């Protein structure tokens, strides 16, 4: 079964890792949100790509969920002393990724090619693709204020209430992304934030059309468990955008875009009467074993769905 | 006595520090070569400004002469692992300078303003000025090949023989630099490389004209001691450019641009018959005490010269 995973940061990275551990690498493509990307301190920073790559490479920081294991903070500490912006916590190892990526981009390589280079150096065998080679910055509108995504997310600690998520127009998918969709049997929407991790990917032309037209199963995994987001602002955003912070509301939000929905056993029964196939699994991924088990459960559900 | 020091990297930084330690800070301006500056890994790197600032701030690495004391190399090591360029050895603390500078430049501040900000954060009281706010990249011609300066200097370890030093046209001094020259009593050319550290400064419009027209003493300190450069490629370059690698040849190279010449006691007598005032001092600066003594000797020589 050829699987395309649509992933944001932490949750997406974990499920991507589970899938990568149970299928042959040539059958797995992770398409990653780049709406969070930004230019900072002169560097091109791609937080979701980094989180996915660090996890797949086995160098992720298990405590924070983002960044690298065994990280140190010497440079960013000194940036603060020198009066530079230190609100975005760039670790010493993590900085190497941003410096190398920025260098390669400046030589004229595409983000797709640069990502492939970095994956190869990190020993990652599955295909990791940015959703687009174009900059596609997500912005957060809060009343009259429009925040660049990372300003809202990190600097403002996602506290300003969200009126609207603003996605750029005319962002186009790469050939590699289109080819991945065309050859996939299963499109798996990871348990990432629907509004700021998944929507930016679905909004890239022609991804939604490809998902509608091609005969493949689309399964989403709920990022909401027991009325709360496992990590990040998803539940808070749902309330601010007029939705209930529940798995059921996530399924209803994706609606006709998905064929199947996986949600946590803690919410068992809450999605039974939806007009799509639903399946309860333990979606909490604390360990590698958890990630593998969830991926196995999803693949099994997908196989049933496709029969 | 108001002193303007024209400085390149290591030797310039040391003499600048000696001068800064014996005169009131408001009387000392260091004008620094920016011909070595380059864009690397997405960052704007100004090696001579950094060397001067680190020395003045008391955080310079005494062993290497460049970079910071107590430096570590975690990030650049990882850049190498990720297949990025690691030939320019950026330390973890040093990186903070480049990140902060790049950030401030991107906000639209001039290099002069950014340098002032960084000096203030580092507790530097004398005025440190880049020779220009414009990029003014020095290039090294070796036969048919033209190298960007740092490629020749660091990556090629200054081995390709120098046919010609290429300086950009139409580089203009800042108002702060012009004001410093107009109010100075003594212009002091530090024991830096005449071709790639001092010439780039003298070549900035209208610095040479200001030095000719204004009634001040100009004293140069020889970077050559006993037929060798104290550090770097000065002696090698002199031979490649058809000069003798001697203090005397340095004095003859500066010629009418200077009124006085300070050279090392090791070469005593070699410059006696030149048509300028010359003075022998111990120019080797191993310690802070050495730097202070040399600065004192130069100021005394300048006072005699001006009588």
């Amino acid at each position: 079964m050829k699987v395309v995973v649509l992933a944001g940061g932490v949750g997406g990275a974990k499920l991507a890792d589970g899938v990568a551990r149970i299928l042959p690498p040539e059958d797995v493509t992770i398409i990653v949100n780049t709406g969070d990307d930004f230019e900072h301190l002169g560097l091109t920073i791609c937080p979701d790509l980094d989180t996915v790559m660090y996890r797949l490479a086995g160098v992720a920081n298990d405590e924070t969920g983002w960044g690298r294991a065994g990280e140190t903070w010497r440079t960013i500490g000194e940036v603060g002393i020198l009066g530079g912006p230190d609100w975005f916590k760039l670790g010493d190892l993590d900085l190497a990724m941003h410096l190398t990526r920025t260098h390669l981009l400046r030589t004229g390589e595409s983000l797709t090619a640069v990502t492939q280079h970095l994956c190869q150096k990190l020993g990652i065998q599955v295909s990791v693709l940015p959703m687009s080679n174009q900059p596609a910055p997500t912005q957060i509108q809060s009343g009259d204020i429009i925040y660049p995504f990372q300003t809202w997310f990190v600097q403002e600690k996602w506290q300003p209430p969200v009126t609207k998520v603003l996605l750029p127009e005319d962002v186009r998918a790469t050939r590699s992304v289109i080819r991945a969709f065309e050859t996939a049997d299963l499109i798996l929407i990871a348990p990432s934030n629907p509004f700021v991790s998944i929507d930016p990917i679905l909004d890239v032309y022609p991804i939604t059309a490809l998902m509608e037209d091609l005969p493949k199963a689309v399964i989403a995994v709920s990022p909401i468990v027991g009325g709360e987001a496992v990590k990040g602002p998803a539940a808070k955003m749902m309330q601010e955008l007029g939705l209930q912070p529940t798995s059921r509301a996530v399924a209803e939000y994706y609606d006709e875009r998905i064929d199947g929905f996986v949600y946590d056993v803690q919410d068992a029964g809450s999605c039974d009467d939806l007009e799509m196939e639903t399946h309860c699994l333990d979606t909490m991924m604390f360990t590698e074993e958890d990630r593998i088990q969830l991926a196995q459960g999803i693949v099994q559900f997908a196989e049933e769905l496709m029969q």
Side-chain angles (χ1 to χ4, degrees), chain A:
Chain A
M1 185 189 300
K2 283 193 176 293
V3 178
V4 163
V5 181
L6 309 189
V10 182
K14 287 183 173 178
L15 184 57
D17 186 54
V19 172
R21 287 173 184 278
I22 64 165
L23 294 176
E26 61 273 20
D27 290 346
V28 180
T29 301
I30 322 295
I31 296 176
V32 182
N33 170 42
T34 58
D36 297 15
D37 297 5
F38 71 132
E39 300 285 318
H40 187 58
L41 292 162
L43 306 175
T44 300
I45 299 178
C46 306
D48 284 355
L49 276 171
D50 291 341
T51 300
V52 168
M53 281 193 278
Y54 292 155
R55 176 60 66 187
L56 290 170
V59 299
N61 187 325
D62 276 321
E63 283 166 45
T64 54
W66 54 270
R68 291 193 55 161
E71 188 58 284
T72 50
W73 310 93
R74 201 141 192 249
T75 299
I76 198 71
E78 188 67 18
V79 167
I81 290 168
L82 293 174
D86 59 356
W87 55 268
F88 197 86
K89 295 297 172 203
L90 297 165
D92 297 326
L93 292 174
D94 189 36
L95 261 170
M97 188 74 127
H98 314 313
L99 289 163
T100 305
R101 173 186 291 123
T102 302
H103 165 76
L104 293 171
L105 288 171
R106 295 285 168 87
T107 68
E109 285 195 61
S110 70
L111 183 58
T112 300
V114 171
T115 303
Q116 192 177 14
H117 166 101
L118 294 169
C119 281
Q120 189 243 315
K121 291 289 175 184
L122 286 165
I124 295 168
Q125 293 189 292
V126 301
S127 181
V128 178
L129 300 175
M131 66 190 199
S132 177
N133 283 327
Q134 296 168 247
T138 300
Q139 296 174 304
I140 301 294
Q141 185 174 345
S142 179
D144 290 342
I145 305 172
I146 293 176
Y147 293 96
F149 183 79
Q150 295 297 346
T151 304
W152 173 77
F153 187 65
V154 177
Q155 199 167 14
E156 299 291 337
K157 301 183 173 64
W158 42 274
Q159 289 313 298
V162 177
T163 313
K164 200 175 176 188
V165 176
L166 306 173
L167 302 178
E169 291 186 4
D170 300 324
V171 179
R172 300 183 79 92
T174 60
R175 278 189 202 190
S176 314
V177 164
I178 292 170
R179 201 175 307 123
F181 274 103
E182 285 173 346
T183 56
D185 301 303
L186 168 65
I187 311 296
L188 180 56
I189 298 178
S192 297
N193 187 306
F195 314 106
V196 297
S197 295
I198 301 302
D199 277 353
I201 303 177
L202 299 181
D203 207 51
V204 171
Y205 180 83
I207 290 181
T208 294
L210 287 173
M211 285 171 60
E212 281 171 11
D213 298 347
L214 297 167
K216 40 211 77 196
V218 181
I219 292 176
V221 182
S222 177
I224 302 289
V225 174
E228 288 179 17
V230 176
K231 192 169 180 75
K236 177 171 175 288
M237 289 183 76
M238 290 182 83
Q239 291 178 292
E240 289 162 0
L241 295 170
L243 305 173
Q244 295 292 316
T246 62
S247 283
R248 184 188 177 90
V250 172
E252 288 172 337
Y253 181 74
Y254 285 131
D255 197 24
E256 292 187 355
R257 296 184 288 188
I258 62 176
D259 308 305
F261 186 64
V262 169
Y263 63 112
D264 196 81
V265 286
Q266 290 183 43
D267 298 326
S270 68
C271 300
D272 283 351
D273 59 337
L274 290 175
E275 283 185 16
M276 62 176 76
E277 297 296 322
T278 63
H279 190 54
C280 275
L281 289 167
D282 181 355
T283 64
M284 299 298 291
M285 295 176 279
F286 298 110
T287 66
E288 185 186 313
E289 190 52 34
D290 295 340
R291 303 196 286 273
I292 290 172
Q293 279 196 0
L294 178 58
Q296 282 169 334
I298 292 168
V299 165
Q300 204 177 330
F301 174 49
E303 280 166 351
E304 289 163 17
L305 208 78
M306 287 189 263
Q307 271 169 6

